[in-house]
Amino acid sequence: MGHEGAGVVEAVGEGVGRPSVGERVVVNYVNPDGTCPLCLRGREDLCERAPLGFGTDVVFAEAVAVEARNLVALPAAVPFEEGAVLGCAGATAFHATRRSGLGPGMSCMVVGLGGVGMQGVQVAKAFGASPLLAVDVSPTKLRLAQKFGADVAIDPGREDSVEVARSLGDGRGVDVAFEYIGLERTLGQAIGAARPGGLVMMVGIPGGAMTFDAQAFNLGGKGLQATQGHSGLDLQGVIQLRASGVLRTGETITHRLPFKDIGRAISLLESGKEDLVRVTLHH
Ligand SMILES: [Zn+2]
C-alpha cells in the first residue's frame, strides 16, 4: 500500500522526450531498470533493481520522482483513482492471467475477492473465462464479483468450493485456479479445484511455509505457478482494457478519502470491514 499512484507530470529531467509536462500517467511501481539479467530475459516483473517496488510507500506524498520509462500514459477517460488501482491490483491480475494462458472457453476459479482478486475476476472475464467461479466468505464481495461477470459465486463457509468446481463441465475441475490471498486454506481450495493437468496460479503472498496434498497434486499432474508484479506491457494492457470499457475498475473502489485522512484510510483497511474492497486517497 502506498506504491500505487497516478497523477500529472509536473516536471521532466533534461533530455526526457516522453512523457511531457501535464501528461496524465500511472506509476509503474515495479520500476524495472530494463538492463539487469532478469529484465533482459523479459522478466521485468522480477527486476533485480526495482528501487521503488512493492512494499514501499513512495506515492503517499505530494510528488514522486520516477524514471520516465516507468510512467505509462493514462487516457483522459480513466480517472486517476482508477489509474492507481490499475497500477497495482489491475496489473498484477493482468500479469497473472496472461501468464496462466487463460483463454476463451476455459474454466476458471478465482479464490479470494480482495483488492487484487476482484480485479482478477474482471480480467479473467475479459480473457474469456467460462464458466468463471468466484470464491470468498463475504456475501458483499460475492455479489460484486457476480456483477463483474462471475458465473458462480461460492461461499466456502456454506459449500465446498472444490465440489462445486467439480460439479461443472466434465466434472474434472477447472482449467485454471487463481489464489489471491496467500493462505494455506485458500491455496488448498485452488489446488483441489484445478482439474487433472490444470494450473494453479499463486498470486496471494503467503506468510511463510504451508502444506498441501502433494500426492493428489502430483498424481493429478497439476501445475503450480507463482506470480508477482508485472511488466510495463502488462500495465499498458490492463489500462487499455479499462479504457475500452471492458473493466469496471471504478466499481471496485468502495471507500474514497482525501489525502489528509491517510491515517483513517489505513485504519479502515486494518479493520477488515466486510464491505471494503478498495480505498483510494485523493489530492
Ligand atoms: Zn531489471
Side-chain angles (χ1 to χ4, degrees):
M1 125 181 96
H3 56 274
E4 56 277 76
V8 175
V9 176
E10 285 190 354
V12 296
E14 212 172 301
V16 171
R18 293 290 305 270
S20 45
V21 172
E23 208 170 306
R24 306 172 85 251
V25 292
V26 176
V27 176
N28 178 1
Y29 75 81
V30 173
N31 201 32
D33 64 355
T35 60
C36 78
L38 285 160
C39 278
L40 292 176
R41 283 170 174 244
R43 294 301 304 269
E44 285 187 3
D45 52 307
L46 299 175
C47 177
E48 291 175 350
R49 184 169 161 239
L52 283 180
F54 189 74
T56 69
D57 54 4
V58 289
V59 301
F60 280 166
E62 298 289 333
V64 57
V66 183
E67 285 179 62
R69 66 185 299 276
N70 288 325
L71 291 172
V72 175
L74 183 67
V78 185
F80 289 122
E81 61 173 20
E82 294 187 40
V85 173
L86 292 167
C88 178
T92 300
F94 188 94
H95 176 77
T97 309
R98 178 177 65 76
R99 287 182 61 84
S100 77
L102 185 69
M106 290 172 69
S107 55
C108 171
M109 176 185 267
V110 171
V111 184
L113 303 174
V116 186
M118 201 63 90
Q119 309 301 322
V121 168
Q122 295 195 44
V123 173
K125 190 73 184 177
F127 274 61
S130 177
L132 174 56
L133 291 66
V135 183
D136 201 283
V137 292
S138 157
T140 310
K141 291 175 183 174
L142 287 172
R143 274 195 299 275
L144 199 53
Q146 284 178 300
K147 232 172 101 181
F148 295 147
D151 301 299
V152 183
I154 305 162
D155 176 351
R158 302 164 69 101
E159 53 187 342
D160 186 329
S161 57
V162 173
E163 270 179 28
V164 175
R166 289 183 186 160
S167 71
L168 300 169
D170 63 4
R172 305 292 193 280
V174 297
D175 294 311
V176 185
F178 293 88
E179 198 288 328
Y180 275 106
I181 304 179
L183 297 176
E184 186 171 300
R185 190 172 66 248
T186 46
L187 181 67
Q189 288 172 23
I191 289 174
R195 67 166 166 76
L199 181 61
V200 178
M201 298 299 288
M202 187 182 192
V203 196
I205 304 172
M210 51 174 67
T211 58
F212 61 92
D213 185 348
Q215 186 183 57
F217 181 74
N218 176 285
L219 294 177
K222 303 181 187 185
L224 177 60
Q225 171 77 56
T227 75
Q228 273 309 313
H230 57 266
S231 68
L233 279 177
D234 290 320
L235 181 52
Q236 288 177 32
V238 78
I239 290 173
Q240 187 53 44
L241 276 185
R242 167 59 188 86
S244 59
V246 175
L247 302 184
R248 294 158 64 180
T249 314
E251 292 171 53
T252 66
I253 301 169
T254 50
H255 296 70
R256 296 171 170 84
L257 293 169
F259 189 69
K260 65 178 176 55
D261 291 343
I262 186 168
R264 218 178 104 224
I266 289 169
S267 304
L268 262 175
L269 267 182
E270 288 172 347
S271 72
K273 274 166 61 95
E274 193 263 339
D275 65 341
L276 186 145
V277 176
R278 176 64 62 177
V279 188
T280 54
L281 291 168
H282 304 255
H283 283 292

